Amino acid sequence: MNRNDQLIANDDGYGLDADFVSAKRPDLSGSIGGRMGSSSATPGATLGPQTAYTSSSLPGGYHSNTLDEPILTTIARDFGKVGRKTIQVLYPKGRDNALQEWDLWGPLFFCLSLAIIMSFMAPDQQASAVFTGVFALVCIGSCVVTLNCKLLGGHVSFFQSVCTLGYCISPMAIASLVSVLAHRIIITLPVVVVAVGWSISAAVGFLAGAQLANRRLLAVYPICLFYICIGWIIIIS
C-alpha cells in the first residue's frame, strides 16, 4: 500500500465524536417574528409613540384624537375657545384662568382687526403705512413687555404673556370701531379712555400671577405705556 492509499484509509476511519453529534442544539428559531407578530400587549408595558398619541389623554388639553375630525369641527372649537377667552377679558368677574392655556389665534385676530380698522381711518395714500405701523407696534410691543416681565424674574411663559396682552387688545379694537362709526372726538375720547383703562386692568390682573411683588411697578409701567400708545393712535386718527 502506497502512502496515498494509507492516508485515504485513515481518513475513512475518522469518526465524529458521538457526544458532539447527539448534543442538543439551542433553539434559534424566530423569537423576533413571534414578538412582532403578536397582537397581545404585555401588561405594564410602555406605550409606544403611536399608542400614546391615539390614547384618550393627549397633550395640549385635548381628550380625543383630533386628526380625523372634520375641519369645520376644529374651526368651531377654536373659535369657541377664542370667544370664551375674549369674554373673560371683557367681563373679568369670576376668572377661571382660561388664558393660562395660551393660543395665538385670538391675539392675531384682534391685532389684524385693529390694524385694518385703523387703516380705514387713514387717508388712502397712508393706509398701508398705518396698517404696517399698527401691526408692528402691537407685535413688537407685546414682545418687549413680555421680555421686560421675564427679565424682572416673572414666573410666566413667553407665549402665555403674549397671548394675554393680545387678548387684552379687544377693548381697543372695539374703541377703534366706535371711532370709525362716530367720527366725533367728544365720543371717541371717553370711549378710548375707558378702553385703555379696561385693557390695562385686564392685563395687570391676568399677569398678577407672575410673582413680581417687589417689582410690580416696573412691570406695570410698560403695560400702561403700551396700551396708552395704542389709544393715542386711535384718538389722533
Side-chain angles (χ1 to χ4, degrees):
M1 179 182 296
N2 56 18
R3 183 180 180 83
N4 292 334
D5 294 337
Q6 185 177 2
L7 290 175
I8 294 173
N10 291 335
D11 183 65
D12 291 340
Y14 182 78
L16 297 174
D17 190 357
D19 295 336
F20 177 80
V21 175
S22 61
K24 184 177 180 180
R25 297 180 179 178
D27 186 11
L28 301 178
S29 61
S31 58
I32 297 177
R35 291 179 183 177
M36 296 186 65
S38 177
S39 60
S40 61
T42 305
T46 304
L47 296 177
Q50 183 178 2
T51 307
Y53 281 104
T54 56
S55 62
S56 60
S57 179
L58 298 174
Y62 296 102
H63 301 285
S64 61
N65 191 357
T66 60
L67 295 178
D68 298 329
E69 70 178 6
I71 187 171
L72 293 179
T73 304
T74 304
I75 294 175
R77 184 182 63 251
D78 292 339
F79 270 105
K81 290 183 178 180
V82 171
R84 287 192 297 270
K85 294 175 183 179
T86 304
I87 293 174
Q88 189 177 1
V89 171
L90 298 177
Y91 187 69
K93 185 178 179 180
R95 290 171 176 166
D96 55 356
N97 296 327
L99 292 183
Q100 289 186 356
E101 187 178 332
W102 61 268
D103 69 87
L104 298 180
W105 290 113
L108 179 62
F109 171 76
F110 290 116
C111 180
L112 288 175
S113 300
L114 182 62
I116 291 173
I117 294 173
M118 297 298 294
S119 64
F120 283 151
M121 298 169 60
D124 294 338
Q125 63 272 17
Q126 299 179 359
S128 59
V130 171
F131 177 87
T132 305
V134 173
F135 189 85
L137 174 63
V138 173
C139 296
I140 297 175
S142 300
C143 295
V144 170
V145 172
T146 300
L147 290 176
N148 176 71
C149 184
K150 295 287 289 183
L151 292 176
L152 291 175
H155 295 79
V156 62
S157 170
F158 179 85
F159 290 107
Q160 180 182 349
S161 177
V162 171
C163 170
T164 301
L165 295 172
Y167 272 101
C168 291
I169 296 177
S170 54
M172 310 297 296
I174 297 175
S176 64
L177 183 60
V178 172
S179 178
V180 170
L181 298 177
H183 288 291
R184 292 184 180 181
I185 190 64
I186 194 173
I187 299 176
T188 302
L189 182 59
V191 171
V192 172
V193 171
V194 172
V196 170
W198 203 333
S199 298
I200 293 174
S201 176
V204 172
F206 284 117
L207 294 179
Q211 301 179 6
L212 291 170
N214 298 328
R215 303 176 179 178
R216 186 178 180 87
L217 183 60
L218 295 176
V220 171
Y221 172 72
I223 296 176
C224 297
L225 186 62
F226 173 61
Y227 290 111
I228 289 174
C229 289
I230 298 176
W232 176 250
I233 294 175
I234 295 175
I235 292 174
I236 65 178
S237 298

